[in-house]
């Protein structure tokens, strides 16, 4: 998610909201947490991508249950 979010940045999330297209979310994959932007909803899954495609890894679609929350603040 560079340049908006860099490794080591801290964020505050809000987890009582249904994520929408374009939202930046935190989700868990395996034992790690990732920050990505929602680009598509399809068949009950969420497709996410980073803003900087040259640095961002590719992710398979995730489930809503993997979403930790919507990013509302970076500090």
């Amino acid at each position: 998610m560079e340049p908006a979010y860099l490794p080591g940045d801290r964020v505050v999330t809000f987890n009582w909201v249904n994520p929408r297209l374009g939202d930046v979310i935190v989700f868990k994959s395996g034992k790690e947490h990732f920050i990505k932007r929602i680009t598509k909803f399809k068949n009950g899954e969420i497709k996410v991508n980073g803003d900087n495609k040259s640095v961002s890894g590719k992710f398979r679609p995730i489930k809503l249950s993997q979403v930790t929350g919507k990013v509302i603040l970076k500090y």
Side-chain angles (χ1 to χ4, degrees):
M1 286 297 298
E2 295 177 6
Y5 301 92
L6 300 172
D9 284 349
R10 296 174 186 248
V11 296
V12 175
T13 61
F14 187 72
N15 33 343
W16 295 289
V17 66
N18 288 327
R20 295 181 181 180
L21 195 64
D23 283 350
V24 176
I25 60 167
V26 175
F27 67 94
K28 190 170 183 177
S29 181
K31 293 184 179 185
E32 294 185 76
H33 285 86
F34 296 91
I35 299 175
K36 300 291 177 192
R37 187 174 306 279
I38 296 174
T39 56
K40 186 186 261 186
F41 289 97
K42 187 173 184 181
N43 299 329
E45 294 183 319
I46 302 169
K47 183 173 180 186
V48 295
N49 284 319
D51 287 349
N52 187 342
K53 306 239 187 290
S54 66
V55 176
S56 181
K58 296 203 178 218
F59 285 88
R60 295 180 183 197
I62 63 169
K63 297 182 182 337
L64 183 59
S65 62
Q66 290 176 260
V67 176
T68 303
K70 176 183 172 179
V71 174
I72 58 170
L73 177 71
K74 176 180 101 168
Y75 65 97

